[in-house]
Amino acid sequence: NGIEFLISKGMKLVVIACGTATSQALEEVKDLYNIPIVGVITPTVNYIKETGKKQIGVIATAGTIRSKGWENAIINAIDDANVQSIACPLLAPMVEEGWNDNKIAELAINEYLQPFNKIDLLIGCTHYPLLTKVIRKKIGNKVEIINIGEHVAKETKNILSDRNEVAQNKKQELDIYLTETECKFNEVASKLLGKEVKAKQVKEELEFLN
């Protein structure tokens, strides 16, 4: 499986960078392996609790909203929290297409976010930080937009620090593996990162591990 493939590459820690997968699989897999496995929900909810904000909006894929992973975690952690959830199935494919700051993205955001009542804070799918500029136009400057990645990164650093496993080598290398390379990933990722990205396909290796 994917986690075993990553471990075979010498990973110290694995992040399940998806709300749906976190809510449905994290508890089942984290005790199966000898390295830490981190989801996106708990680190983010811990931060939200610190803010003291109670009126919380969630936008995500249909699967994530259906799973109620964010809603349940927020309600369990924060007394009197009011969670409004909206499924936005078109947004992730748009980001993957590179349409994160154009008229199409703006129209989609305006339509999806229309039902929200007053919210103080907005959580989005892991794709959605790339839509922050367009989302901000719709909801204004008073609503805090959560970048899930920031809080997961802090949690990851804390875990590795506690285990004395923070890399001392400052040379940064990026290896990207995909199970499917017939997409615009390389083009979009290269544009966003400002350098050439060439993902490798791992379909055959995953089949071997299985």
Side-chain angles (χ1 to χ4, degrees), residues 8-95:
S8 76
K9 296 296 181 181
M11 298 299 105
K12 301 173 184 177
L13 178 148
V14 171
V15 174
I16 300 178
C18 169
T20 304
T22 294
S23 62
Q24 295 182 355
L26 178 63
E27 295 304 316
E28 284 71 18
V29 301
K30 69 180 183 180
D31 294 328
L32 298 178
Y33 303 99
N34 293 324
I35 64 171
I37 300 178
V38 178
V40 298
I41 294 178
T42 298
T44 307
V45 172
N46 288 342
Y47 167 76
I48 295 171
K49 187 173 182 178
E50 291 175 3
T51 70
K53 295 178 179 179
K54 306 283 190 177
Q55 303 297 323
I56 300 165
V58 179
I59 54 174
T61 63
T64 297
I65 297 299
R66 235 183 350 258
S67 74
K68 293 186 178 294
W70 284 107
E71 184 176 344
N72 291 337
I74 293 167
I75 291 172
N76 288 337
I78 303 171
D79 292 338
D80 301 322
N82 178 37
V83 182
Q84 302 174 54
S85 300
I86 296 177
C88 306
L90 294 180
L91 297 188
M94 284 170 47
V95 170

